[in-house]
Amino acid sequence: MIIPAGILFPETMLQSGWFNVFATFVAINTVIYVILSVSKLFPVIRSLPRRTIRARAESRSIYPGEERRK
Amino acid sequence: MNRFFQRSVGILVVATVLLAIALMILIIASSRDSTMRWDPRRVNLFDGSMTLTFSGAAPGFGILLPALAIAVLLVVVVVVTERLVSLRYRRTPPGVTRRPLAPKPVMERTRGVFAGEVTVTVLIPAHNEEASLPGTLASLDEQLVRPDRVIVVADNCVDGTVRVAREYGADVFETVGNTHKKGGALNQALREVLPALGDNDAVLVMDADTQLGPAFLQQAVQLFTSDRALMAVGGLFQGEEGGGILGQFQRNEYHRYQREIRRREGRVFVLTGTGTVFRSSALRAVAEARGAQIPGRPGDVYDTLALTEDNELTIAIKSLGGLMTSPDECVVTTEIMPSWKMLWAQRLRWQRGALENLGAYGVTPQTFRYWAQQVSIGYGVFALFAYFLLMAVMLLAMDIWVWYPFWIGIGLVFAVERAVTVWQGGWRARLLAILIIPELVYDCFLNLAFLKGVFEISAGQRASWKHVTHEQRAEPLERKVA
């Protein structure tokens, strides 16, 4: 009887329980990594739209005359 | 921080990672939903003249969705924590002496007083840099806003560094009896230069083999002028041309890093030693706080025990509440490692330095983000090696070639993402990125450096600080500035 085999390991190894777990572990990592990477392609979600951010109560410039600008 | 904690920093990170992995494996093993089963199907094409074997195996949604949800949750926790911490530090009230560089205390101290226009004093620590110095000094010449003073800090030079500096017209400060490399050299120079500098006088610290983009100082001066609570403006570094494929790997890496900083709107991870402008008051405050709130010797600006002194200084300024930014226009072109051996030495130093700094500061609100980064790097190390192991096992066990639509689909998405994130690098960058595998091999190399770093710290080995020697270049350095 000829057992189907790859170069080094028997093909039955690919059906074993531990291989299943290992392959699932790698698959999950891969999916998570790709999704997180792809999420970096999209613009950042901002908690506050820029225009509604309040202007500073006090100017932070180095020139004293520009302070207390509303 | 005690020595035991410092030595166990690496192990702490790795243990956290292994715990996460063990948890995942446990959940997968106990689930009935994992479906990475080996049951390839045959399909006949072109009326039986060609047979295609494929497998639709993919992880079941029952496992995938919770795993994804956890990952997203972790990312959100890390990001939100960082924002909350920086918000809390930014709102530090004036009376708090623990954070003297926070905006409100600074504003209180400087209100109503005009400390003069912003000036820039440049410090260039140089150890036998006669070959690279001319290029660096030329880039200062081409600044849209010129520095007020350029000082080359010649540290134990046995070549023509001093001569080149004087020929150019720069001031020269020669270190005396310095055994602490760059940090020690800068400390000596700063001890002399800082006392005369006022609140609006800034210090640019840059390497002798880097070139600044022409708008660098203009942008920095503008930012310091409009915000007297801003303590540091850090450069975004990119790799110089040349170096073949290895050089391209590094350039791609830096492009991605730049892109991430731009997405963060300039929020800083590290104020790079290759080119950062500091307000003199920030450096003075750091020197005063050493030995008390932050590690190091009182009076030293740089902690000479730190392998990565720029990373350490960044954490120091953050711990004291200082604001910092890395704007788009502040581009720095820096050297790339010309050989794998030198790259190894550099990355080992960076990795060790990063972990050691965390060991010195401990877990604080400001270092939380950095700890999270180390854990995610550690996790990536194991995940990448697991991936290669799986590929190897499958290749060595498969009798016939099987197509996996799942893996192929993921691979294509990934290839697109890789190319987009290095888009600014041009066609060479994009081509290398889209091939995926070469960069993964490069990542493996970096991962090994991570593991070596963890091992060395845990074993208490003394670090070595390898210096890049620059041979006289035949052609001038090609500059790639924004």
Side-chain angles (χ1 to χ4, degrees), chain B residues 135-262:
Chain B
T136 305
L137 295 171
S139 86
L140 288 172
D141 239 353
E142 288 167 24
Q143 289 295 304
L144 296 171
V145 168
R146 303 280 295 279
D148 297 80
R149 197 177 166 200
V150 177
I151 307 172
V152 173
V153 183
D155 181 39
N156 299 321
C157 293
V158 293
D159 69 351
T161 299
V162 173
R163 175 184 47 83
V164 166
R166 285 203 213 280
E167 267 168 20
Y168 181 81
D171 291 343
V172 173
F173 177 95
E174 289 182 82
T175 61
V176 176
N178 176 39
T179 50
H180 296 299
K181 311 267 184 198
K182 199 199 291 188
L186 283 169
N187 282 344
Q188 283 194 13
L190 284 165
R191 218 165 280 137
E192 183 155 305
V193 163
L194 265 187
L197 298 179
D199 274 334
N200 289 336
D201 297 318
V203 177
L204 164 67
V205 176
M206 66 184 291
D207 274 352
D209 49 21
T210 57
Q211 291 86 46
L212 305 181
F216 194 113
L217 288 183
Q218 179 188 54
Q219 177 70 327
V221 167
Q222 191 181 320
L223 288 170
F224 280 135
T225 302
S226 62
D227 187 353
R228 57 186 200 273
L230 184 64
M231 287 298 135
V233 173
L236 286 177
F237 58 86
Q238 61 191 21
E240 64 185 356
E241 291 297 315
I245 283 204
L246 182 59
Q248 195 58 49
F249 281 137
Q250 294 169 73
R251 279 190 290 280
N252 279 12
E253 198 191 347
Y254 297 159
H255 282 310
R256 293 200 176 98
Y257 180 75
Q258 268 195 42
R259 190 175 177 277
E260 200 185 336
I261 300 297
R262 288 194 166 111

Side-chain angles (χ1 to χ4, degrees), chain B residues 91-121:
Chain B
R91 291 193 179 149
T92 306
V96 177
T97 48
R98 245 181 10 254
R99 300 202 267 268
L101 294 181
K104 291 197 172 128
V106 170
M107 299 293 285
E108 180 98 341
R109 260 199 324 273
T110 58
R111 187 168 295 129
V113 176
F114 181 56
E117 298 289 342
V118 173
T119 72
V120 179
T121 303

Side-chain angles (χ1 to χ4, degrees), chain B residues 283-303:
Chain B
L283 300 180
R284 263 194 294 270
V286 166
E288 264 172 45
R290 288 222 181 270
Q293 286 143 265
I294 50 180
R297 236 178 24 190
D300 279 352
V301 172
Y302 285 93
D303 182 2

Side-chain angles (χ1 to χ4, degrees), chain B residues 32 58 90 117 128 134 168 207 241 280 307 325 357 370 391 395 443 458 467:
Chain B
R32 259 165 285 161
R90 215 171 42 238
E117 298 289 342
N128 295 331
Y168 181 81
D207 274 352
E241 291 297 315
S280 62
L307 264 182
T325 184
N357 289 338
Y370 297 95
M391 292 297 124
L395 280 172
D443 286 342
S458 312
H467 189 81

Side-chain angles (χ1 to χ4, degrees), chain B residues 313-335:
Chain B
L313 185 59
T314 307
I315 302 178
I317 296 178
K318 278 192 179 183
S319 301
L320 297 180
L323 292 180
M324 53 183 71
T325 184
S326 275
D328 274 1
E329 295 81 354
C330 292
V331 182
V332 171
T333 306
T334 187
E335 66 178 3

